[in-house]
Amino acid sequence: MMTGEGLSQPMSPYTSEELANTASLTAPQPNTTVCTVTGLIDADTKAILRDALAKACGDDNAHLVINLSPVTSMDSTGLYALLEARHKHDIGGGGHLAIVIDTNSEAIPELYIIGLQAAFEVHDDRAAALHVCAIASTAGVRHTMTRAGKG
């Protein structure tokens, strides 16, 4: 289980040293997992991303932030892996799923960025995505407390 405040070290690194790609999972705030992906995402490296996202989707945290800002290049297999994670991550119970990308970067083609914006909540930086997850957690707690109070 990945919970705890202030956790900043990667909890589960997924790497391919020969390709210099990584996907690491951290839990920087309660109830939130961040999957940070670096390097190239293509058919040869998609397993790194898919394995990390499968682990992230399987943890007990309601919120998932996928940080793609360090990605150097991504093809359609990366987009497919992200859409697959969206399908697997349970957002029905108040969970939140967000993507962090640099929309000015040429690492991710514009067509894929448009697809990501249609399917995910997209943020320009990690702090903004974490803030939205924290607000969603607070709103979920208030909603649960209100329902519990009504009996």
Side-chain angles (χ1 to χ4, degrees):
M1 183 184 324
M2 295 187 303
T3 59
E5 291 184 43
L7 186 61
S8 61
Q9 295 298 317
M11 297 182 71
S12 299
Y14 297 85
T15 62
S16 173
E17 291 181 23
E18 66 275 7
L19 300 170
N21 289 34
T22 63
S24 61
L25 302 178
T26 57
Q29 65 190 29
N31 213 22
T32 304
T33 299
V34 175
C35 178
T36 301
V37 184
T38 62
L40 170 73
I41 303 172
D42 65 7
D44 295 329
T45 62
K46 72 178 177 186
I48 297 166
L49 175 61
R50 291 177 84 187
D51 290 348
L53 291 175
K55 174 115 172 108
C57 290
D59 69 20
D60 291 337
N61 289 333
H63 311 297
L64 174 59
V65 175
I66 304 169
N67 183 2
L68 300 177
S69 57
V71 167
T72 57
S73 180
M74 185 176 90
D75 70 7
S76 61
T77 57
L79 182 61
Y80 181 79
L82 295 167
L83 292 171
E84 188 176 57
R86 179 180 179 264
H87 176 71
K88 290 180 181 177
H89 185 69
D90 179 23
I91 59 174
H96 199 76
L97 181 60
I99 298 274
V100 178
I101 57 173
D102 178 0
T103 55
N104 296 318
S105 171
E106 294 182 18
I108 301 174
E110 186 177 349
L111 181 61
Y112 301 159
I113 290 174
I114 292 168
L116 290 171
Q117 289 171 331
F120 298 93
E121 182 172 304
V122 175
H123 298 276
D124 292 330
D125 62 56
R126 183 176 175 262
L130 288 172
H131 180 72
V132 171
C133 290
I135 291 170
S137 282
T138 303
V141 167
R142 282 189 205 139
H143 180 68
T144 302
M145 289 171 56
T146 302
R147 286 187 358 185
K150 289 184 178 180

